[in-house]
């Protein structure tokens, strides 16, 4: 599987808010994608975007927002193609991007927000080493409905401990 900088729109799942959060509207437009990609052109970059493919087939998409002042990297807009789910490809993609985040010396913490009802994703993130730190009740407004989100985090020292034998 290759993970490359994203320049095209990933295919959407049936539940787009699950993938991009309430701040992203669908369908995605070229302007929206370009704005996301432009954040990666700053020095240092504010956001990096990747799209994973395997044998020319779309596997997934992921973004990493970088807060250089505080040393935090936020995994976001994680999309795994429906036909690729349950094969470990999402976990592989998450590991590669997390490794990339900790490749920046200034990054001390990787974090993400996930909808509280998305137990499949929460389990995948826990397998990666992220800790469920808390629930933000009624923190997202999605099409007029209030949803809870969970914050999960992983510190550099925890990542190193998990990969010291690798």
């Amino acid at each position: 599987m290759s993970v490359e900088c994203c320049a095209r729109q990933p295919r959407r799942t049936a539940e787009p808010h699950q993938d991009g959060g309430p701040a992203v509207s669908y369908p995605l437009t070229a302007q929206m994608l370009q704005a996301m990609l432009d954040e990666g052109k700053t020095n240092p970059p504010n956001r990096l975007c990747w799209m994973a493919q395997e044998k020319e087939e779309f596997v997934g998409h992921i973004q990493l927002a970088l807060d250089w002042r505080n040393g935090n990297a936020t995994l976001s807009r994680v999309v795994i193609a429906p036909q690729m789910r349950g094969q470990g490809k999402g976990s592989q993609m998450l590991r590669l991007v997390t490794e990339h985040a900790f490749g920046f010396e200034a990054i001390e913490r990787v974090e993400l927000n996930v909808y509280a009802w998305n137990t499949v994703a929460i389990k995948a993130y826990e397998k990666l080493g992220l800790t469920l730190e808390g629930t933000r009740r009624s923190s997202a407004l999605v099409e007029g409905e209030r949803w809870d989100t969970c914050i999960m985090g992983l510190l550099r020292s925890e990542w190193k401990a998990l990969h010291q034998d690798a």
Side-chain angles (χ1 to χ4, degrees), residues 34-108:
Q34 190 59 54
M36 290 179 208
L37 292 172
D38 286 346
E39 289 182 270
K41 294 178 183 175
T42 61
N43 189 12
N46 295 321
R47 179 181 305 274
L48 298 171
C49 304
W50 290 272
M51 187 170 64
Q53 290 182 225
E54 186 174 79
K55 298 178 185 170
E56 301 299 316
E57 189 173 2
F58 175 74
V59 172
H61 170 269
I62 190 169
Q63 295 185 15
L64 187 67
L66 299 154
D67 172 2
W68 297 105
R69 182 176 178 270
N70 295 302
N72 297 323
T74 303
L75 292 167
S76 63
R77 299 177 182 145
V78 178
V79 179
I80 307 300
Q83 71 275 16
M84 295 292 180
R85 294 179 187 163
Q87 301 176 39
K89 297 185 187 310
S91 295
Q92 183 181 1
M93 186 175 76
L94 286 161
R95 270 192 306 281
L96 289 169
V97 174
T98 301
E99 184 176 314
H100 187 85
F102 284 126
F104 293 111
E105 196 173 305
I107 298 301
E108 170 59 23

